Amino acid sequence: MQSLPPIYKTTCKSALLAMLLTSLISCGGSSSSGGSKNSSSTSITSSSSSFSSSSISSAITSYNLTYSANAGGSISGQSSQNVAAGNTGSSVTAIPAVNYRFTGWSDGSLKATRTDSNIQQSATLTANFAPENIWSTAPYSGAMSLEVLGPRSVNVSWDDNEPRTIMVISDGITAEVSIGELPGVSWHAGVTSPFKLENLKVDQPVYVALQQDDVITAWSSTTPRKWIADGEIKTIQQMENGNIFLGGDFEYIAPDHGSAVLLPSASSGIANPTPLAFPHVNGLVYSAVDDGQGGWFIGGNFTKVGNHEKPGFAHIDRMGQVLPWQPVEGDIRQIKKRNGILYIGGTYKTVSNSYLVALSAFEINNDTPEFHVELADPAGYPEYPTYVNQVELAKDRIYVHGHINFPDNIVAIDYNGNILNWPTELIDFFSPLKIVTFNNDLYIQTEVFMLPFFYKIDAAGKAGQLSFDLPGERLWGIFSDSEYLYINIAFNAAAIGEKPAGIIRLDAQGNRSFLNIPSSQIPHGTTVVHDEIIYYINRHRDEQQVKLRAFSLKDNKDIPWATSSYPSTVSVSDDTVLISSTVLFAGRTYRPGQAVLNENEELLPEITTDSSGTRFHP
């Protein structure tokens, strides 16, 4: 027989003794001796029974586990559990409600899903939640737009005209957005679209959300700005009714958003959207990449971003706040990001390197570069300025193009900062206009006698002119995204039984397809493809103004989104588009030569003329 642990041996012996004594008592005996024996047996029994009961209880004790949720969430799983000592309970998960996030359990655990084991006592555990910052992942969501009326007023509009509750933060987001009371948040209940926000602070970002049934359904942001004109203002006169008349040699008037404007993406469904909250940049932004958290790294020829001195480089978070990191100072032409590393090309200095035309790699928020490659001396060729034009990241190398000290003004660098012996077959590209990487190959666009020519160079350095051997073929432009290479093309489609197409598209395996895009929408110049939407600069035949446009490859149609501007650069993230130009007239209004502002500097409807002469709309 298997030996039992001591506690079980004792318990069994005591229980047997108790049973024997109980049997003897129940069978009777002499009164004198019986009385004495009964008293003694009761004491033993009592003693023995007490020990036995305690031992049995120790072996089968169970504990209660109770899980609950504070306001802002709930519990998934068995909230009340009875678990035997030493055993494991069942899994429970803390589920945040809409507009809330899980912040941890009352015992300090930060894992939303928990399974408690080796239970030795009862416990009550509470899941805690906090209001979610609705701008934590994106600065825009939902079909809502904000229209800047002037430096102290904004119109809020949404799709339907049903009454909504509006939450407004105009003092900067310093606390998490709450559905309940919160300092710095103002509420407007039961208002209809459009709703006018007034008495705002000049140049302070405004964040607005719509609330319905205690759930925030949409949000957006913008920054009220003063008005500027696209030409000379020759007269400013205050009228008897308090309005201000502007006259001069201009056609458009618009809020002064500086040289960089952040817009909701073309997939937002808003036509001609008002720019989102973004600090004023006092010079051209040449390059920008999203930081993966709703913010941006920007580089260019500027000195100030908002109220901060930022010579050529700045990091702006998702709230539009300028962050302190400044790894470079100078003229930054290109920024690219890969695996948490920024690759910065331009003419600049770092904390450890002098002012040079260079490419540097920085781990984000680290001032010391991972590597620093000198490309040219900025003072070495006064008659031939040196600069970086493009930085392109391929699978195993970095290509840099510009006016630099390398053959054909192109250099290949590996990801350790070593200059590669490449290319092995040189073609006189006569200063390439543009380079594009795709599938680890390099594509080059150059120009001869005003006509573009295109070349392909593989990683081994083998070069050749790009051609698809189509009848009447003529290539006009090239661009790419993570999946495809796109080439603007003209050819005789009927000769090979194809439908007319303006773009040929290649995948990584070399398979080609033709995109039948209307000729008026074929992109030229600055072109970016993101999430099957082409953002490009073009002039419609029926329009005089060049503007930024968008075209959906999913639906094969133009998106009525483009802002009336002529940007030099376009950068796209999942939710927003950052555009830049020397002068931007985002949200501009046609006012040829004369405009009227009211006392709050809001732009009034245009001037009309009747039989009695010129008059103004109130």
Side-chain angles (χ1 to χ4, degrees), residues 478-617:
I478 190 168
F479 49 98
S480 67
D481 60 13
S482 59
E483 297 184 64
Y484 298 101
L485 180 72
Y486 303 85
I487 302 99
N488 292 343
I489 189 170
F491 69 102
N492 186 352
I496 58 172
E498 282 284 348
K499 293 181 180 179
I503 292 179
I504 186 170
R505 183 171 69 177
L506 299 178
D507 64 17
Q509 289 71 44
N511 301 312
R512 73 186 188 188
S513 57
F514 297 98
L515 304 182
N516 183 18
I517 296 179
S519 59
S520 61
Q521 262 97 57
I522 294 177
H524 298 284
T526 301
T527 308
V528 178
V529 184
H530 183 84
D531 193 26
E532 296 192 70
I533 295 177
I534 300 178
Y535 299 86
Y536 63 99
I537 299 168
N538 202 358
R539 185 196 302 272
H540 267 233
R541 291 176 180 176
D542 59 346
E543 296 178 1
Q544 295 299 315
Q545 293 296 326
V546 178
K547 62 181 358 180
L548 177 64
R549 307 195 66 86
F551 186 88
S552 171
L553 296 176
K554 299 176 184 177
D555 307 318
N556 200 47
K557 67 179 182 180
D558 188 45
I559 300 176
W561 163 87
T563 182
S564 300
S565 295
Y566 188 5
S568 302
T569 61
V570 181
S571 303
V572 184
S573 72
D574 288 337
D575 302 292
T576 56
V577 180
L578 182 61
I579 64 176
S580 178
S581 186
T582 304
V583 177
L584 277 172
F585 281 87
R588 69 183 182 175
T589 305
Y590 186 59
R591 292 289 188 273
Q594 48 190 347
V596 178
L597 307 177
N598 65 16
E599 58 184 5
N600 295 321
E601 299 182 44
E602 298 171 346
L603 183 64
L604 297 180
E606 65 180 313
I607 300 170
T608 61
T609 303
D610 59 15
S611 58
S612 63
T614 301
R615 65 182 177 85
F616 304 101
H617 283 293

Side-chain angles (χ1 to χ4, degrees), residues 94-427:
I95 307 294
V98 177
N99 303 140
Y100 283 85
R101 62 184 175 84
F102 171 68
T103 59
W105 294 92
S106 54
D107 65 348
S109 173
L110 298 177
K111 293 183 178 181
T113 299
R114 64 185 297 158
T115 304
D116 293 298
S117 60
N118 191 26
I119 304 303
Q120 299 296 334
Q121 61 183 7
S122 295
T124 298
L125 298 161
T126 304
N128 297 311
F129 304 89
E132 177 65 277
N133 187 332
I134 58 176
W135 290 278
S136 63
T137 56
Y140 170 84
S141 178
M144 181 178 70
S145 62
L146 307 181
E147 177 191 7
V148 175
L149 303 177
R152 288 182 292 276
S153 57
V154 167
N155 257 356
V156 183
S157 301
W158 54 94
D159 281 350
D160 57 63
N161 200 37
E162 293 183 15
R164 295 283 187 267
T165 297
I166 296 180
M167 176 181 69
V168 183
I169 303 178
S170 58
D171 294 331
I173 298 181
T174 57
E176 293 173 337
V177 174
S178 173
I179 294 178
E181 295 295 328
L182 187 71
V185 176
S186 61
W187 297 86
H188 305 273
V191 298
T192 56
S193 175
F195 179 72
K196 183 178 176 181
L197 298 176
E198 300 180 284
N199 300 318
L200 302 173
K201 294 183 179 179
V202 177
D203 287 350
Q204 291 295 316
V206 177
Y207 298 86
V208 179
L210 296 184
Q211 179 186 315
Q212 186 176 24
D213 299 328
D214 291 331
V215 174
I216 295 172
T217 58
W219 60 89
S220 190
S221 66
T222 192
T223 304
R225 303 287 194 190
K226 290 185 176 294
W227 293 94
I228 58 172
D230 64 346
E232 183 180 1
I233 297 176
K234 296 182 178 181
T235 181
I236 301 177
Q237 300 179 20
Q238 187 163 16
M239 305 167 66
E240 291 183 1
N241 61 3
N243 292 341
I244 301 169
F245 171 78
L246 307 178
D249 185 16
F250 57 84
E251 288 192 359
Y252 290 92
I253 188 167
D256 180 14
H257 289 284
S259 63
V261 166
L262 186 66
L263 300 169
S265 70
S267 60
S268 68
I270 295 180
N272 299 319
T274 295
L276 300 171
F278 201 76
H280 190 283
V281 182
N282 72 343
L284 188 62
V285 175
Y286 291 127
S287 182
V289 296
D290 69 279
D291 66 359
Q293 299 178 356
W296 292 85
F297 298 103
I298 64 172
N301 185 17
F302 51 81
T303 58
K304 290 191 71 174
V305 179
N307 295 321
H308 302 266
E309 297 293 332
K310 289 290 178 181
F313 178 91
H315 183 192
I316 302 164
D317 71 9
R318 61 182 177 266
M319 308 296 185
Q321 307 297 315
V322 182
L323 302 182
W325 187 43
Q326 190 76 37
V328 294
E329 294 183 8
D331 183 24
I332 308 304
R333 296 298 181 100
Q334 277 277 277
I335 304 175
K336 290 296 176 72
K337 187 180 69 168
R338 182 178 187 259
N339 298 332
I341 301 293
L342 289 189
Y343 298 89
I344 301 176
T347 305
Y348 56 85
K349 65 179 181 179
T350 73
V351 293
S352 54
N353 301 97
S354 59
Y355 202 78
L356 292 169
V357 179
L359 174 74
S360 300
F362 290 89
E363 185 178 3
I364 295 173
N365 291 326
N366 190 340
D367 289 339
T368 303
E370 301 286 309
F371 67 73
H372 181 81
V373 179
E374 179 181 345
L375 302 174
D377 184 345
Y381 306 93
E383 73 288 351
Y384 182 70
T386 55
Y387 57 84
V388 168
N389 188 35
Q390 283 182 262
V391 176
E392 297 294 331
L393 306 183
K395 181 179 179 181
D396 60 3
R397 64 189 59 198
I398 307 163
Y399 294 103
V400 182
H401 159 241
H403 285 182
I404 54 180
N405 298 344
F406 293 89
D408 296 313
N409 290 312
I410 300 176
V411 62
I413 302 168
D414 68 20
Y415 283 98
N416 293 317
N418 303 307
I419 296 175
L420 302 177
N421 184 21
W422 178 95
T424 56
E425 296 180 13
L426 292 177
I427 297 176

Side-chain angles (χ1 to χ4, degrees), residues 439-486:
N439 208 24
N440 213 36
D441 297 324
L442 182 69
Y443 293 82
I444 297 174
Q445 178 179 344
T446 188
E447 188 176 274
V448 179
F449 300 116
M450 304 297 291
L451 289 176
F453 288 86
F454 300 85
Y455 298 89
K456 174 184 174 181
I457 306 180
D458 63 21
K462 184 178 179 181
Q465 188 168 347
L466 182 63
S467 174
F468 299 99
D469 297 323
L470 296 172
E473 172 184 303
R474 184 76 247 180
L475 309 183
W476 295 103
I478 190 168
F479 49 98
S480 67
D481 60 13
S482 59
E483 297 184 64
Y484 298 101
L485 180 72
Y486 303 85

Side-chain angles (χ1 to χ4, degrees), residues 74-89:
S74 59
I75 299 298
S76 173
Q78 189 175 350
S79 59
S80 180
Q81 303 178 25
N82 187 266
V83 182
N87 283 4
T88 299

